[in-house]
């Protein structure tokens, strides 16, 4: 590498490079506690929101080897400052994405940030790793690792502090803090940085850069879309297997291109050296272990029941101990070697992860959380960069340092890209269980006060149905037992009448342990606003149907009553007619019986004097020589006095025309008696019918009065239903409030299952790394330093 003629200002060089490392690292951490706040503000779900970190990882990984190679060719100064400029521009537009309310703009800006970030850390690390003498290189690289670790962890605290100071709705400020740092680095960098670059300039491997970028993006994008809980079901998805297949196809093409390239973007000989290969594998594992860090704020918030966005403060613990561990590891490496110190870091990381799994998640207190973070932070300090950078530089030539460290960072970035996909899957699965478990704690029914007149209406309707005169008319009316309508079953499974809106599901998914009760209340209120109108409508419709049927019955009873009254009147008139006829027939009977008596006397041989007297009595003026046995019917009629005859019905007089003998007259009298008896029986029957009709009319009138009262009460009951459900809603919400502690405990324990799986991944990865590290054999040759 060439050095400028004038003497370097090492203080300013260190300050400029460390400022860039600090800015790049702090931005990674600063987004971590704000992730859920940002995704909720921009109205995207968890799986979409994670892309603000994923896209950064993807673009960062693709940028690292390119920037490293360009730094070798064009000099570290200009590539470093270009990277800083891209990072600053990306930060500006990340902040502006809130003003535009665009998640797409945020994703694009994060990609620009990452393109710049890919040139900051490798170039700065290479400068420190080659400028300092070998005996101080461990300390120098430890300083880089310490600043990176502290900044990365401090970023989470800074993110929480900014949102606490300016409000969660001003999250854009977490990106704007990069602008003044960018300006300082650009100005100071142009003034003080040397432009170290390789002596020989070879043709840039643009084709290799393009193919490598395509490979990395294809691999990472395909792996990001794999559902590790349903590997067989998702590996065949269109957004998975085509990209993995593209990676497989491009891999041999890339190898062929690199073998032919004058200045390959990736030195393939790195993968033929067993020590370098082990170093790269360990770098991949370290990338996985590092990603456990991004979930620390969320874990702390859940374990200690603090507000979302506030967990970043607890990451200070990680920062402090990572900052202590990184430079300490550098000094210890100079004394004991990188392998031993790296192994110690993996052991501490595994112990911290297991402590979190077995203790902190089951007994969440400030002490247990702090202890787990102290151990994890110390382990990160020993593994985050210094040992692996040292091992990589130890096994490569000095002129390959940029490319070697870039390759190391690229492999680590692949690990950091894959890990969140798996870890977020654990938390997403736990989050789904949180929603199910919390909602299972909701009351399964609404308790409402008894509706007015419920008991009275139930009793009255039962009495009406028991009335034989109304039984048939009320047969089609099905009124439920209103006294039992004090509870209403609630079905929130989405399989019944209630379909949960997407925004309600997202509300529950975005809850944390401090907001779950509040969001549950909001959920329940929205649930009531969508579910109860149908329930109320159904109840009111049922009651209204009863009212309509009762009105219909009343109409039918009005018609029946009118018909009965008409019939009653007709029967009454018929009775009066029959009574009149009976009276006339009785008078006629009296006259006929008298006539019969007279007739019998005539027939028995009365003396002429007696006959004359009888004739005179019956108005017969000529009776001389008349034989009683030869009397005509007209003579019988003439024997009836005119004043009596006028009152005898014409039909009776007509019947007398046929009377010739006392026997005939006797038959007539008997017939008349029979007719009178028949009429009197009919009168008695009609009178009984009238009594029955009167009872029916009275019963109908009474029923109509009762029905009208029932209808009035049913109308009042119908109008009371919405008010009863308002009281039921209050009771339901009160039950949720009373269950606040249980709901939060259920939320906490269920989500902690996801954190257990996350940090179990960290622990297992650390143990695997220990095993792999056991195969590493330190080189005996250090001529490249």
């Amino acid at each position: 590498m060439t050095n400028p003629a004038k003497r370097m200002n090492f203080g300013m060089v260190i300050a400029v490079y460390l400022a860039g490392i600090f800015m790049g690292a702090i931005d990674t951490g600063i987004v971590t506690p704000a992730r859920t706040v940002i995704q909720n503000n921009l109205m995207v779900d968890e799986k979409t929101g994670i892309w603000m970190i994923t896209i950064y990882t993807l673009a960062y990984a693709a940028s690292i080897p390119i920037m490293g190679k360009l730094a070798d060719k064009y000099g570290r100064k200009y590539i470093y400052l270009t990277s800083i400029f891209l990072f600053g521009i990306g930060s500006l537009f990340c902040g502006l994405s809130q003003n535009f309310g665009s998640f797409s703009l945020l994703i694009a800006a994060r990609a620009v940030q990452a393109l710049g970030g890919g040139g900051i850390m490798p170039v700065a690390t290479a400068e420190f790793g080659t400028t300092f003498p070998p005996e101080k290189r461990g300390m120098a690289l430890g300083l880089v690792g310490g600043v990176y670790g502290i900044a990365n962890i401090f970023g989470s605290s800074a993110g929480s502090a900014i949102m606490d100071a300016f409000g969660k709705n001003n999250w854009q400020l977490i990106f704007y803090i990069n602008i003044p740092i960018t300006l300082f680095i650009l100005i100071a960098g142009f003034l003080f940085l040397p432009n170290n670059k390789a002596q020989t300039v070879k043709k840039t491997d643009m084709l290799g850069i393009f193919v490598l970028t395509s490979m990395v993006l294809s691999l990472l994008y395909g792996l990001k879309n794999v559902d590790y809980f349903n590997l067989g079901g998702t590996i065949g998805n269109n957004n998975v297997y085509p990209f993995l297949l593209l990676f497989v196809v491009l891999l041999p093409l890339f190898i062929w291109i690199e073998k032919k390239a004058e200045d390959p973007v990736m030195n393939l000989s790195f993968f033929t050296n067993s020590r370098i290969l082990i170093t790269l594998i360990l770098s991949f594992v370290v990338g996985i272990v590092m990603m456990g860090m991004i979930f620390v704020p969320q874990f702390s918030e859940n374990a200690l029941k603090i507000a979302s966005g506030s967990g970043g403060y607890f990451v200070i613990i990680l920062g402090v101990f990572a900052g202590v561990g990184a430079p300490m590891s550098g000094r210890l490496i100079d004394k004991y070697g990188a392998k031993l110190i790296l192994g110690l870091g993996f052991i501490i990381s595994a112990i911290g992860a297991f402590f979190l799994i077995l203790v902190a998640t089951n007994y969440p207190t400030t002490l247990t959380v702090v202890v787990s973070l102290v151990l994890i932070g110390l382990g990160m300090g020993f593994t985050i960069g210094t040992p692996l950078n040292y091992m990589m530089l130890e096994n490569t030539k000095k002129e390959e340092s940029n490319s070697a460290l870039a390759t190391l960072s690229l492999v680590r970035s692949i690990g950091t890209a894959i890990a969140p996909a798996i870890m977020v899957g654990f938390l997403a699965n736990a989050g789904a269980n949180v929603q199910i478990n919390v909602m299972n704690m909701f009351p399964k029914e609404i308790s409402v006060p008894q509706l007015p007149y419920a008991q009275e209406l139930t009793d009255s309707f039962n009495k009406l149905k028991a009335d034989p005169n109304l039984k048939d008319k009320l047969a089609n009316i099905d009124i439920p037992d209103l006294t039992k309508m004090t509870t209403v079953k609630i079905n929130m499974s989405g399989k019944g009448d209630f379909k949960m809106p997407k925004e309600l599901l997202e509300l529950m998914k975005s809850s944390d342990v401090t907001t779950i009760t509040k969001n549950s209340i909001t959920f329940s209120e929205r649930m009531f606003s969508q579910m109860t109108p149908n329930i109320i409508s159904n109840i009111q419709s049922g009651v209204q149907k009863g009212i309509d049927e009762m009105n219909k019955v009343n109409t039918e009873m009005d018609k029946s009553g009118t018909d009965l009254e008409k019939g009653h009147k007709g029967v009454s008139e018929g009775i009066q007619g029959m009574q009149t006829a009976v009276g006339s027939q009785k008078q006629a009977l009296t006259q006929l019986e008298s006539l019969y008596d007279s007739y019998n006397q005539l027939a028995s041989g009365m003396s002429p004097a007696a006959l004359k007297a009888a004739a005179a009595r019956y108005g017969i003026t000529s009776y001389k020589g008349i034989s009683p046995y030869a009397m005509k019917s007209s003579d019988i009629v003439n024997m009836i006095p005119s004043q009596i005859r006028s009152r005898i019905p014409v039909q009776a007089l007509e019947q007398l025309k046929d009377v010739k003998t006392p026997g005939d007259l006797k038959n007539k009298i008997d017939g008349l008696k029979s007719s009178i008896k028949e009429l009197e029986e009919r009168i008695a029957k009609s009178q009984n019918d009238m009594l029955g009709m009167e009872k029916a009319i009275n019963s109908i009138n009474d029923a109509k009065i009762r029905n009208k009262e029932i209808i009035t009460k049913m109308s009042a009951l119908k109008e009371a239903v919405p008010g009863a459900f308002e009281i039921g809603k209050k009771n339901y919400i009160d039950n949720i409030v009373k269950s606040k502690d249980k709901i939060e405990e259920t939320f906490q324990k269920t989500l902690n299952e996801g954190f257990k799986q996350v940090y179990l991944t960290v622990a297992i990865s650390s143990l695997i790394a220990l095993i792999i590290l056991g195969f590493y054999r330190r080189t005996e040759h250090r001529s490249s330093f």
Side-chain angles (χ1 to χ4, degrees), residues 180-198:
I181 301 176
T182 298
L183 294 176
F184 163 75
I185 295 174
L186 289 175
I187 295 172
F190 276 111
L191 295 176
F192 298 103
L193 289 184
N195 189 30
N196 294 326
K197 59 182 178 180

Side-chain angles (χ1 to χ4, degrees), residues 590-631:
T590 301
Q591 297 299 325
L592 289 178
E593 286 178 339
S594 298
L595 182 61
Y596 180 73
D597 291 339
S598 300
Y599 193 63
N600 283 336
Q601 291 176 3
L602 291 174
S604 61
M606 295 175 59
S607 63
L611 185 59
K612 181 178 180 181
R617 184 169 66 248
Y618 291 104
I620 301 174
T621 56
S622 177
Y623 58 87
K624 184 178 180 180
I626 298 177
S627 171
Y629 294 101
M631 292 178 65

Side-chain angles (χ1 to χ4, degrees), residues 149-327:
I150 292 173
N152 202 315
I153 305 307
F154 175 71
S156 299
S157 304
S160 295
I162 290 173
M163 288 189 291
D164 283 345
F166 299 98
K168 294 180 180 179
N169 290 329
N170 291 312
W171 53 263
Q172 59 190 7
L173 296 177
I174 68 176
F175 296 105
Y176 287 156
I177 65 171
N178 294 328
I179 306 303
I181 301 176
T182 298
L183 294 176
F184 163 75
I185 295 174
L186 289 175
I187 295 172
F190 276 111
L191 295 176
F192 298 103
L193 289 184
N195 189 30
N196 294 326
K197 59 182 178 180
Q199 291 285 356
T200 58
V201 179
K202 298 180 180 180
K203 183 179 179 181
T204 303
D205 182 17
M206 296 304 297
L207 181 59
I209 290 173
F210 174 77
V211 174
L212 176 61
T213 302
S214 300
M215 283 174 54
V216 172
L217 292 177
S218 298
L219 175 63
L220 296 184
Y221 184 81
L223 293 176
K224 278 290 183 180
N225 292 310
V226 172
D227 182 355
Y228 293 92
F229 291 97
N230 184 22
L231 187 61
T234 58
I235 199 71
N237 289 349
N238 291 334
N239 58 351
V240 176
Y241 83 88
F243 297 94
L244 299 181
L245 183 61
L246 180 61
F247 171 79
V248 173
V249 171
L250 291 177
L251 180 59
L253 176 63
F254 175 72
I255 294 173
W256 181 80
I257 292 173
E258 293 306 283
K259 287 182 177 180
K260 298 292 184 181
E262 180 182 351
D263 184 20
V265 67
M266 180 177 290
N267 191 339
L268 297 182
S269 63
F270 292 160
F271 297 92
T272 62
N273 185 312
S274 61
R275 293 185 300 274
I276 295 178
L277 181 60
I278 290 174
T279 302
L280 293 176
I281 294 174
L282 292 175
S283 180
F284 174 82
V285 176
V286 167
I288 296 175
V289 173
M290 284 177 57
M291 283 298 98
M293 176 194 65
I294 68 174
F295 300 100
V296 166
Q298 191 177 358
F299 165 72
S300 301
E301 292 161 2
N302 186 66
L304 301 178
K305 296 184 179 181
I306 57 179
S308 180
S310 300
Y313 294 118
F314 281 84
V315 190
I316 292 176
I317 300 169
L318 279 174
V320 170
F321 284 88
V324 170

Side-chain angles (χ1 to χ4, degrees), residues 27 96 181 233 262 324 341 503 591 667 678 781:
D27 193 76
L96 291 175
I181 301 176
E262 180 182 351
V324 170
I341 302 307
E503 61 270 18
Q591 297 299 325
N667 290 336
E678 183 180 348
H781 304 286

Side-chain angles (χ1 to χ4, degrees), residues 235-505:
I235 199 71
N237 289 349
N238 291 334
N239 58 351
V240 176
Y241 83 88
F243 297 94
L244 299 181
L245 183 61
L246 180 61
F247 171 79
V248 173
V249 171
L250 291 177
L251 180 59
L253 176 63
F254 175 72
I255 294 173
W256 181 80
I257 292 173
E258 293 306 283
K259 287 182 177 180
K260 298 292 184 181
E262 180 182 351
D263 184 20
V265 67
M266 180 177 290
N267 191 339
L268 297 182
S269 63
F270 292 160
F271 297 92
T272 62
N273 185 312
S274 61
R275 293 185 300 274
I276 295 178
L277 181 60
I278 290 174
T279 302
L280 293 176
I281 294 174
L282 292 175
S283 180
F284 174 82
V285 176
V286 167
I288 296 175
V289 173
M290 284 177 57
M291 283 298 98
M293 176 194 65
I294 68 174
F295 300 100
V296 166
Q298 191 177 358
F299 165 72
S300 301
E301 292 161 2
N302 186 66
L304 301 178
K305 296 184 179 181
I306 57 179
S308 180
S310 300
Y313 294 118
F314 281 84
V315 190
I316 292 176
I317 300 169
L318 279 174
V320 170
F321 284 88
V324 170
M328 183 185 297
S329 69
R331 293 188 184 95
L332 293 175
I333 286 172
D334 291 333
K335 187 174 182 180
Y336 298 103
K339 178 179 178 179
L340 180 63
I341 302 307
L342 183 60
L344 179 61
F346 284 131
I347 292 173
I348 296 174
S349 295
I351 292 173
F354 278 121
F355 184 87
L356 186 148
I357 294 167
L358 300 175
V359 181
T361 55
N362 294 320
Y363 308 98
T365 65
T366 301
L367 177 61
T368 58
V369 170
V370 168
V371 170
S372 63
L373 296 184
V374 167
L375 293 171
I376 292 174
L378 195 59
M380 287 180 59
F382 277 74
T383 59
I384 200 169
T386 304
L388 290 173
N389 291 340
Y390 195 96
M391 291 164 64
M392 194 69 180
L393 292 174
E394 185 180 50
N395 292 285
T396 56
K397 298 177 182 179
K398 184 176 181 180
E399 60 269 21
E400 296 176 334
S401 59
N402 283 349
S403 296
L405 293 178
T407 301
L408 187 71
S409 297
L410 171 62
V411 173
R412 182 170 56 230
S413 296
I414 294 174
T416 60
I418 295 174
I422 301 173
M423 295 175 178
V424 167
F426 294 144
L427 291 181
N429 185 62
N433 292 332
V434 162
Q435 179 182 333
I436 295 171
N437 293 344
V438 169
M439 291 179 64
N440 283 339
M441 296 187 67
F442 289 1
K444 300 298 186 295
E445 57 186 23
I446 304 171
S447 297
V448 298
Q450 190 174 83
L451 297 171
Y453 308 112
Q455 184 66 57
E456 190 175 344
L457 284 170
T458 300
D459 294 342
S460 297
F461 189 75
N462 290 335
K463 288 179 180 178
L464 286 175
K465 275 203 163 184
D467 191 331
N469 296 313
L470 302 173
K471 185 176 182 180
D472 293 338
K473 293 181 174 62
L474 299 176
N476 295 328
I477 304 179
D478 186 17
I479 299 295
D481 188 349
L482 300 173
T483 60
K484 295 182 180 179
M485 295 180 63
T486 56
T487 58
V488 178
K489 298 294 182 181
I490 298 296
N491 177 18
M492 293 185 295
S493 65
K495 298 179 181 179
D497 294 333
F498 175 59
K499 303 296 183 182
M500 274 185 284
K502 182 178 179 181
E503 61 270 18
L504 282 186
L505 292 175

